[in-house]
């Protein structure tokens, strides 16, 4: 049974979307054991309301948490009684716990993965990986989507290696095509950073397809996109907004297309591009898996994020990453 630590605090709509999501996942038959970090009475009440008996979960009791407005550095010390810090402590000390899930402060979660959990040997900084929709129902893995906005060429080289493994585990692609985000496909295009990263990545034993540009993202030219966190974060938010904008534009055809057909088309677009209902972002590099949900998470986000963790654990993501960075 996979044991997952869950920090219940940080979602915009409150702790109930996380707790109810966990209950929904358990009631669906998913095989995992949650260790929830948060207010014991509140968690117990909601789990009982969802028909979940207390032998199917554990609670680490605290009503303290790190807010979205707190600086990332606060996780270093002085908040040992917060849900995130206590979650990291349990994850690190309990060999049965394989991952932690949180909708909380991204910066603090990132710093905590380094100073409270620790990284795989050979890594200095984790990368935040996510998946994005593209044409023909395909999915693209993006590394990095927001954790490190000031990368070096060596960072991007590591992201290429981690993205390759993440894609193999999550998308089940045996030999994923890895592309480096730039302003053109030609090798000489891009900044000094991109040129130096290209020189490094092309020497790796990967299926490297070279530079890719923005339009390649929606065509599925590559299975993995390597990017600095600044550009990657802009990219993923742009993709999410495109789906919503396209759904709105379909309203221009009102009166020309059957109303039910138009509504189904809009719903299909929104579902396809709704990152919030399709899981979460994964920190690649910590000794154990750390997954970050959107702040605007709902119950379905929680269910999808748990599915992601279970899938990555069954695919041996941690072991494969550790092996890749052994000197």
């Amino acid at each position: 049974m996979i044991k997952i630590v869950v920090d219940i605090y940080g979602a915009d709509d409150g702790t109930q979307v996380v707790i109810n999501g966990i209950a929904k996942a358990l009631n669906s038959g998913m095989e995992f054991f949650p260790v929830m970090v948060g207010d014991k009475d509140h968690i117990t009440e909601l789990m009982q309301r969802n028909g979940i008996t207390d032998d199917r979960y554990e609670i680490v009791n605290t009503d303290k948490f790190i807010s979205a407005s707190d600086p990332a550095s606060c996780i270093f010390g002085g908040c040992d009684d917060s849900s995130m810090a206590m979650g990291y402590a349990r994850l690190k000390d309990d060999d049965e716990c394989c991952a932690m899930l949180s909708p909380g402060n991204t910066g603090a979660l990132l710093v905590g993965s380094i100073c409270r959990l620790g990284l795989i040997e050979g890594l200095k900084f984790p990368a935040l990986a996510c998946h994005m929709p593209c044409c023909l129902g395909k999915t693209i893995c993006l590394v990095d989507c927001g954790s490190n906005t000031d990368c070096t060429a060596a960072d991007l080289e590591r992201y290429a290696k981690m993205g390759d493994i993440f894609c193999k585990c999550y998308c089940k692609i045996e030999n994923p095509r890895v592309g480096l985000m730039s302003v053109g496909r030609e090798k000489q295009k891009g900044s000094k950073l991109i040129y130096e990263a290209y020189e490094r990545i092309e020497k790796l034993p990967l299926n490297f397809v070279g530079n890719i540009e923005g339009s390649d993202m929606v065509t599925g030219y590559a299975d993995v996109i390597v990017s600095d966190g600044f550009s990657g974060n802009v990219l993923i938010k742009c993709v999410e907004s495109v789906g919503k904008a396209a759904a709105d534009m379909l309203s221009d055809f009102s009166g020309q297309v059957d109303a039910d057909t138009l509504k189904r088309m809009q719903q299909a677009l929104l579902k396809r591009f709704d990152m919030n209902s399709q899981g979460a972002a994964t920190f690649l590099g910590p000794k154990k898996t750390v997954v970050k949900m959107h702040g605007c998470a709902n119950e379905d986000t929680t269910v999808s994020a748990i599915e992601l963790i279970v899938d990555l654990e069954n695919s041996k993501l941690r072991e494969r990453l550790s092996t890749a960075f052994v000197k």
Side-chain angles (χ1 to χ4, degrees):
M1 180 73 71
I2 291 176
K3 188 180 286 188
I4 302 172
V5 178
V6 184
D7 170 15
I8 70 167
Y9 294 103
D12 296 341
D13 290 335
T15 56
Q16 64 271 11
V17 299
V18 179
I19 301 169
N20 288 336
I22 291 171
K24 187 174 182 178
L26 289 170
N27 283 328
S28 73
M30 290 179 59
E31 295 187 356
F32 73 102
F33 187 90
V35 178
M36 288 176 279
V37 188
D39 183 80
K40 181 177 181 180
D41 293 338
H42 178 54
I43 294 173
T44 302
E45 178 186 356
L46 287 182
M47 294 299 274
Q48 288 178 346
R49 195 180 298 175
N50 282 282
I52 306 296
T53 56
D54 59 11
D55 61 329
R56 299 182 65 189
Y57 63 90
E58 183 183 343
I59 300 173
V60 177
N61 186 42
T62 183
D63 59 358
K64 305 293 193 302
F65 60 92
I66 295 173
S67 70
S69 60
D70 287 327
S73 58
C74 71
I75 192 72
F76 276 119
C79 62
D80 291 346
D81 58 350
S82 69
S83 58
M84 191 179 294
M86 293 176 72
Y88 269 128
R90 179 58 181 272
L91 181 63
K92 182 177 182 178
D93 296 338
D94 189 341
D95 291 338
E96 294 183 353
C97 292
C98 68
M100 184 165 86
L101 174 63
S102 174
N105 186 310
T106 304
L109 199 63
L110 166 66
V111 174
S113 73
I114 301 171
C115 70
R116 290 186 178 265
L117 180 59
L119 302 181
I120 293 169
E121 185 178 355
L123 293 178
K124 296 181 179 180
F125 206 85
L128 194 58
C130 66
H131 55 281
M132 303 186 301
C134 70
C135 66
L136 303 177
K138 295 181 180 179
T139 297
I140 295 176
C141 295
L142 172 65
V143 187
D144 179 285
C145 66
S147 67
N148 187 0
T149 59
D150 190 17
C151 293
T152 65
D155 289 329
L156 295 180
E157 178 187 9
R158 287 188 283 268
Y159 294 174
K161 292 173 66 175
M162 291 192 286
D164 174 73
I165 296 169
F166 179 76
C167 189
K168 288 175 178 175
C169 292
Y170 179 74
C171 298
K172 308 298 185 286
I173 299 175
E174 185 176 343
N175 191 29
R177 297 159 299 163
V178 179
L180 177 63
M181 179 57 69
S182 186
V183 294
R185 288 190 184 179
E186 297 83 0
K187 181 178 179 178
Q188 67 272 18
K189 290 290 184 70
S191 63
K192 181 181 178 182
L193 168 65
I194 297 302
Y195 185 82
E196 292 177 355
Y198 190 112
E199 292 279 300
R200 286 172 169 266
I201 297 172
E202 69 174 345
K203 296 175 184 177
L204 298 174
L206 304 176
N207 183 11
F208 182 50
V209 296
N211 286 339
I212 63 172
E213 49 192 7
S215 59
D216 291 324
M217 187 279 301
V218 294
T219 63
Y221 180 74
D223 302 303
V224 178
I225 297 176
V226 177
S227 172
D228 65 273
F230 184 93
S231 302
N233 192 261
V234 171
L235 177 60
I236 190 172
K237 289 178 179 176
C238 181
V239 169
E240 187 172 15
S241 66
V242 164
K244 295 177 181 178
D248 289 340
M249 289 177 186
L250 285 175
S251 299
D252 295 341
F253 295 94
S254 178
Q256 303 176 46
V257 179
D258 175 77
D260 288 338
T261 301
L262 187 62
K263 184 177 181 180
R264 286 197 300 271
M265 291 170 65
Q266 289 177 316
Q267 290 175 338
L269 270 172
L270 290 172
K271 181 179 180 180
R272 179 66 179 148
F273 285 89
D274 180 19
M275 307 293 183
N276 194 42
S277 63
Q278 299 181 43
T282 305
F283 282 105
L284 303 177
K287 291 181 178 179
K288 293 187 178 181
T289 303
V290 178
V291 171
K292 167 69 173 73
M293 292 192 292
H294 288 290
C296 56
N298 53 40
E299 292 180 17
D300 289 336
T301 314
T302 305
V303 174
S304 295
I306 293 170
E307 289 176 339
L308 171 66
I309 290 172
V310 172
D311 188 27
L312 293 178
E313 186 65 16
N314 288 334
S315 299
K316 308 295 182 184
L317 174 69
R318 289 184 294 141
E319 292 87 341
R320 294 171 78 169
L321 284 173
S322 296
T323 301
F325 287 94
V326 171
K327 295 182 180 179

